[in-house]
Amino acid sequence: VAEILFALDGNTDKTQFAGLSIVDNPDRVRHGFGKTCNRAARLSRGKYLLFLNDDCYLDEWAVFNMLKCFQDPKVAVVGCKTRYPDGKLYFAGSHRPKGAINYGHIQDHRYTSPVEQEFVNFAAAIVRRDVFFSVGGFDERYDCYAEDADLCLRVRKAGWKVMFTPDATGIHDESRTTSPTKTAMLNKANELFDKRWREHQLA
């Protein structure tokens, strides 16, 4: 049985979600990705949590193929392959070059089967609910960006596996443009991530 919760952030028009299960944001102030997801997760009841951005659209068998990875009892997080609407790859795995502050997205087809990663992108990812809460959920100091990498590293530090599967695919309709606000959020997130994980040894 699937449970679908729509978590609102900021001054969102609720009328478009009439009849659906809404996790409201009563003060109408934008709180950021991590806080919004944590708020919804606390109200959830399922064994697994699928975090899905409102601009991300999964293919028919994506969730099924992601859940297959959990047959390994040590897997706690599973991410999938996503593309831009024009077909170009958005996320096909992760890498962190030596000396880099944060993780980059792999944008080629090097992985043809599920593979363990340090980080997967949470535009569309599934996590065991009990593990999510055991590591404290998303760190709410992040407004936007890097909170998914931070969560994945804490999950791995706790002894669990993070997997990427190319067998699950979707479209991520993310803007490719930059703005002063977007750049400032990214810089702040990278600074926080760097302070916590700079000395982390790559697997």
Side-chain angles (χ1 to χ4, degrees), residues 46-57:
K47 180 178 179 181
Y48 301 102
L49 302 175
L50 167 63
F51 291 98
L52 184 66
N53 283 14
D54 60 359
D55 63 349
C56 196
Y57 316 95

Side-chain angles (χ1 to χ4, degrees), residues 76-131:
V77 177
V78 179
C80 65
K81 179 186 289 186
T82 50
R83 295 179 172 85
Y84 290 107
D86 64 5
K88 182 178 179 180
L89 282 173
Y90 170 76
F91 182 83
S94 64
H95 67 99
R96 186 185 185 195
K98 187 174 182 179
I101 291 177
N102 207 338
Y103 287 87
H105 291 195
I106 292 173
Q107 294 178 319
D108 60 46
H109 296 281
R110 70 185 67 179
Y111 297 126
T112 58
S113 60
V115 59
E116 190 171 356
Q117 298 274 271
E118 286 205 303
F119 148 72
V120 292
N121 181 252
F122 265 70
I126 298 178
V127 56
R128 292 185 190 269
R129 187 179 189 276
D130 57 348
V131 176

Side-chain angles (χ1 to χ4, degrees), residues 21 25-26 30 38 40 44 51 53 58 82 105 109 115 128 134 146 153 190:
S21 298
N25 180 20
R30 184 182 176 281
N38 285 345
S44 68
F51 291 98
N53 283 14
L58 294 180
T82 50
H105 291 195
H109 296 281
V115 59
R128 292 185 190 269
S134 73
L153 288 185
N190 283 341

Side-chain angles (χ1 to χ4, degrees), residues 126-143:
I126 298 178
V127 56
R128 292 185 190 269
R129 187 179 189 276
D130 57 348
V131 176
F132 180 78
F133 285 108
S134 73
V135 299
F138 289 109
D139 185 333
E140 297 185 0
R141 293 177 297 171
Y142 294 95
D143 180 303

Side-chain angles (χ1 to χ4, degrees), residues 47-48 64-76 78 128 161 163:
K47 180 178 179 181
Y48 301 102
F64 176 82
N65 287 331
M66 292 165 79
L67 287 173
K68 286 198 300 185
C69 293
F70 290 101
Q71 293 174 2
D72 180 344
K74 292 302 294 179
V75 171
V78 179
R128 292 185 190 269
K161 294 180 182 179
M163 302 292 294

